[in-house]
């Protein structure tokens, strides 16, 4: 490939990787605290439909983006009841939440754009710097900030403590439930902002299938990045580059079915979670419920 093609793939991959990066940035906090938020896919859907409806009504991409935050906080409270307070299975609860979110988003879209009416579109953010959309730069800065917070702040230390040894953290005076709820809120906000980015910066319209598994890709990226925000951000960009690579490969290898190239990012995500890239040390208390003074078996 020519240098220009490679540069285009990198720039496109950076743009395509931002939604996964945003979702993964929040999820790395959740998992570091011991909460596996399988409901990320649903959060992207809820963030997408909320940002679409608000941006289309107000003609403001900024308001559409900000509107997803209270929705994410409400969803975090709902998920927190089951994940944290009741000690329910985080995987089963997350899957149910994804199905519920799909139904809610589809119903809200049909109320906003009834069948038979012209589908609404919004103006996407098209301002660029060096060929990169401007919203990408604050997301990269956020990645650095999240790394510093998780790895070098008191709050980050508390998050990692309750994810590794909740009993010891509680004995040291930490409120395990409170810290895990804070981490879950960050996870839900990250997922909702990822959905908003898809709508206001990339696509400009809403469809039920708009997320296309990016929430699950974010879960894989967190594992591939070894629960370190900077590495997770780089893994998200790599996944975006593979997504961009499929378009170039279709031109260079025209004989293969396009489905082979479409599967590249998902194959990479599957390999990332397989352990082929080295031994992984996940947070010891990941998915293990905790109530004051005892684990929930």
């Amino acid at each position: 490939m020519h240098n220009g093609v490679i540069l285009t793939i990198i720039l496109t991959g950076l743009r395509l990787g931002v939604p996964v990066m945003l979702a993964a940035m929040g999820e790395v906090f959740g998992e570091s605290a011991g909460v596996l938020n399988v409901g990320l896919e649903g959060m992207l859907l809820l963030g997408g439909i909320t940002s679409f409806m608000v941006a289309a009504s107000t003609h403001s991409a900024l308001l559409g983006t900000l509107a997803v935050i209270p929705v994410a906080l409400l969803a975090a409270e709902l998920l927190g009841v089951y994940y944290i307070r009741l000690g329910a299975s985080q995987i089963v609860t997350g899957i149910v939440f994804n199905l519920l979110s799909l139904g809610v988003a589809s119903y809200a879209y049909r109320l906003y754009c009834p069948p038979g009416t012209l589908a609404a579109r919004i103006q996407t953010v098209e301002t660029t710097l060096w060929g990169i959309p401007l919203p990408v730069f604050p997301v990269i800065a956020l990645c650095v900030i999240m790394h510093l917070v998780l790895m070098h702040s008191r709050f980050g230390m508390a998050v990692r403590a309750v994810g590794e040894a909740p009993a010891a953290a509680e004995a040291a005076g930490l409120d395990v439930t409170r810290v895990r709820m804070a981490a879950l809120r960050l996870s839900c906000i990250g997922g909702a902002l990822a959905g908003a980015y898809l709508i206001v910066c990339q696509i400009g319209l809403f469809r039920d299938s708009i997320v296309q598994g990016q929430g699950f890709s974010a879960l894989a990226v967190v594992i591939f990045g070894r629960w370190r925000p900077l590495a997770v951000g780089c893994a998200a960009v790599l996944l975006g580059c593979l997504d961009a690579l499929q378009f170039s490969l279709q031109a260079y290898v025209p004989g293969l079915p396009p489905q082979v190239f479409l599967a590249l990012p998902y194959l990479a995500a599957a390999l990332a979670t397989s352990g082929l890239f080295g031994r992984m040390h996940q947070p010891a208390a990941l998915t293990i419920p905790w109530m004051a003074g005892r684990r929930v078996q």
Side-chain angles (χ1 to χ4, degrees):
M1 293 186 184
H2 300 295
N3 292 336
V5 175
I6 295 174
L7 180 60
T8 300
I9 290 174
I10 294 173
L11 293 178
T12 305
L14 186 62
R15 178 175 58 84
L16 294 177
V18 166
V20 174
M21 187 188 300
L22 276 169
M25 282 300 103
E27 178 60 13
V28 75
F29 274 80
E31 292 192 21
S32 295
V35 181
L36 178 64
N37 186 12
V38 179
L40 268 184
E41 189 86 356
M43 282 312 314
L44 267 83
L45 273 170
L46 292 180
I49 186 60
T50 302
S51 62
F52 171 77
M53 293 172 63
V54 174
S57 300
T58 64
H59 305 288
S60 171
L62 178 60
L63 289 178
T65 302
L66 294 177
V68 307
I69 296 178
V71 173
L73 292 175
L74 286 173
E77 295 304 316
L78 174 62
L79 287 170
V81 169
Y82 292 92
Y83 283 163
I84 299 170
R85 303 188 190 280
L86 297 180
S89 168
Q90 295 174 9
I91 296 175
V92 173
T93 301
I95 293 172
V96 172
F97 179 79
N98 289 336
L99 295 173
L100 176 65
S101 299
L102 177 60
V104 169
S106 299
Y107 181 66
Y109 179 73
R110 280 157 181 74
L111 286 179
Y112 192 78
C113 297
T117 62
L118 185 64
R121 294 185 64 95
I122 63 173
Q123 181 66 38
T124 57
V125 178
E126 297 179 350
T127 308
T128 61
L129 181 62
W130 304 315
I132 302 172
L134 281 182
V136 172
F137 294 98
V139 173
I140 294 174
L142 180 65
C143 181
V144 176
I145 293 170
M146 297 288 261
H147 182 84
L148 294 174
V149 170
L150 183 61
M151 308 307 297
H152 302 287
S153 74
R154 182 173 296 181
F155 173 68
M157 184 180 298
V159 167
R160 288 182 286 124
V162 301
E164 288 291 340
E170 186 179 63
L174 289 175
D175 187 333
V176 176
T177 297
R178 185 176 180 180
V179 174
R180 285 188 168 183
M181 280 301 305
L184 178 59
R185 291 184 188 108
L186 288 176
S187 175
C188 289
I189 289 173
L193 287 175
Y197 181 91
L198 276 173
I199 298 298
V200 304
C201 295
Q202 288 189 356
I203 303 173
L205 52 82
F206 181 82
R207 292 291 183 271
D208 296 346
S209 59
I210 206 166
V211 175
Q212 295 183 329
Q214 295 197 55
F216 294 111
S217 296
L219 294 173
V221 159
V222 171
I223 297 173
F224 190 38
R226 302 298 193 271
W227 295 273
R228 293 178 174 270
L230 281 181
V232 168
C234 293
V237 174
L238 176 61
L239 202 65
C241 288
L242 288 173
D243 202 5
L245 182 63
Q246 61 173 294
F247 301 110
S248 298
L249 287 179
Q250 288 183 43
Y252 282 90
V253 192
L256 285 177
Q259 290 80 3
V260 173
F261 304 109
L262 290 172
L264 275 178
Y266 305 102
L267 176 61
L271 290 175
T273 61
S274 66
L276 293 177
F277 299 98
R279 191 174 181 179
M280 295 175 291
H281 174 67
Q282 69 178 32
L286 183 62
T287 74
I288 299 176
W290 179 268
M291 290 186 182
R294 64 183 179 91
R295 288 188 179 189
V296 179
Q297 300 298 333

